[in-house]
Amino acid sequence: MTSDPVKTDGFFLMAGRSARTAGLLAPHSANTSLNRRGLLVAGAGLITGGVLGGAAQAAGAAHHTGSQSLHAPAIIGKAQPTLPLVMLDPGHGGKDPGAIGYSGTYEKYVAEAAAAELRQQLLATGRYRVAMTRTSDHFVPLDGRVELAQQHGASLFISMHADALHNAGVRGASVYTHSHGASDSQTADLAKTENSADRYGGPLVQGASPEVQQILASLVTEEARRGSAHMASAVVSSFQSRINLLPHPHRHAAFAVLKSAQIPSVLVEMGFMSNRLDEAALRQAGHRAMVAGAMCTAVNRYFASAGVGLAG
């Protein structure tokens, strides 16, 4: 197998190197308890200016022009509407490797590379602004990812993953939305694994109790749920002709990272690192570009169906 051009040596771990050799089974000495607030980047603020002109200016203008009548200022043109912001969330990172693949590939690297490719494709359309919860190999707690999306005023949140299952024969992409209960036992296990990611962050960022998670889930608005379902349908439709899918590919469970009350959110499993065929495909830049292309099409379809004037 050829080396992946996206990363230099060390981006992917080749077969035969164990997780312990890579140092991911033992805590890194440089990693200390994380202040989640320190990770958050404040969203851009709106700059407002005062209205030029006042009573004194109006009087001065009238004196200068004498008997000439005053005319309304010319309208130069309409301001362009702000482009919608898509928040991409590469799963895991830093001391949290995510799933470790059939031949030793780390999910965190696959997720970051795929999200970077999708960002590039979305920006190339000229239709969106794009932000990412992380752009390097560092740990971000689950709540921090949601808060970043909210602070940036995101119109859509997409979390990208390639998890592992106990059954190595299962392969294919799928898309998940938030709900109180899981659509099936496999999805329930995935949600449990994803929601435990904060264990890497120490006591300051430990996940909430199941009771609190249920309360938070109830706060997700119906509008956000409908938007999430529309986006999930767009992903399935876009993947069908290009990417191998699980049976019943749109599934749901109580994923903590999808709990934003205001922002339509989906979690995309690009495949399973526990399956050697999925892992081999996701190691290839060409395959990740194809996944990103299908995701870009899905985003276009979503915003077109949302009635914001974007062609699919």
Side-chain angles (χ1 to χ4, degrees), residues 81-116:
T82 302
L83 296 176
L85 187 140
V86 179
M87 177 66 75
L88 302 181
D89 173 44
H92 309 283
K95 50 194 169 184
D96 174 14
I100 299 176
Y102 186 88
S103 66
T105 308
Y106 291 161
E107 179 189 359
K108 64 177 182 176
Y109 293 135
V110 169
E112 182 185 338

Side-chain angles (χ1 to χ4, degrees), residues 233-257:
S233 296
V235 171
V236 171
S237 177
S238 299
F239 274 33
Q240 278 177 338
S241 61
R242 301 183 239 185
I243 310 295
N244 184 54
L245 288 165
L246 285 179
H248 310 294
H250 177 194
R251 305 183 180 200
H252 53 82
F255 289 93
V257 79

